[in-house]
Amino acid sequence: INSAISVIEKVSRDCNIEPYDEDTGLGQLRYVCFNLDEKSRAVQTTLVWNGIANDDGLNRFVSALKSSSASITTAGKEVFHSLWIHYNKRWKHC
């Protein structure tokens, strides 16, 4: 999971992805959830994105994640085995 976190942090910086701010409703990346598949040691990653499908920033971010993760391996295997995206544009919960 630490390798996956490092990839997310690096790619977020490289793509100028702003963390979501609960007070202002600004920023793109709300949350990240990591689940480790103990058998393969690969990480399932879920991004909660403050936006809608086909967002240009998200498309750049996902492309960069794919490129970066393919070059980073743990025990000869890629770090990520899946990437899930949940869109949540709502600023305040009622």
Side-chain angles (χ1 to χ4, degrees):
I1 289 180
N2 290 337
S3 296
I5 292 169
S6 295
V7 170
I8 294 285
E9 288 177 337
K10 179 188 182 314
V11 172
S12 294
R13 283 191 302 273
D14 292 349
C15 292
N16 296 314
I17 301 301
E18 293 293 323
Y20 180 74
D21 183 321
E22 292 284 344
D23 294 328
T24 65
L26 300 175
Q28 295 100 358
L29 189 58
R30 294 174 76 108
Y31 304 98
V32 181
C33 178
F34 300 100
N35 294 295
L36 180 66
D37 177 42
E38 292 192 21
K39 184 176 180 183
S40 70
R41 307 303 295 165
V43 179
Q44 172 188 318
T45 304
T46 304
L47 306 175
V48 179
W49 191 259
N50 182 37
I52 57 172
N54 297 320
D55 178 288
D56 289 338
L58 177 60
N59 292 338
R60 277 193 321 274
F61 185 55
V62 169
S63 293
L65 277 176
K66 287 181 185 177
S67 298
S68 294
S69 68
S71 64
I72 298 173
T73 61
T74 301
K77 297 182 181 181
E78 288 187 27
V79 172
F80 297 109
H81 77 67
S82 61
L83 179 64
W84 295 82
I85 301 167
H86 174 79
Y87 302 98
N88 186 343
K89 184 66 176 159
R90 192 175 197 172
W91 180 23
K92 297 283 184 185
H93 294 282
C94 298

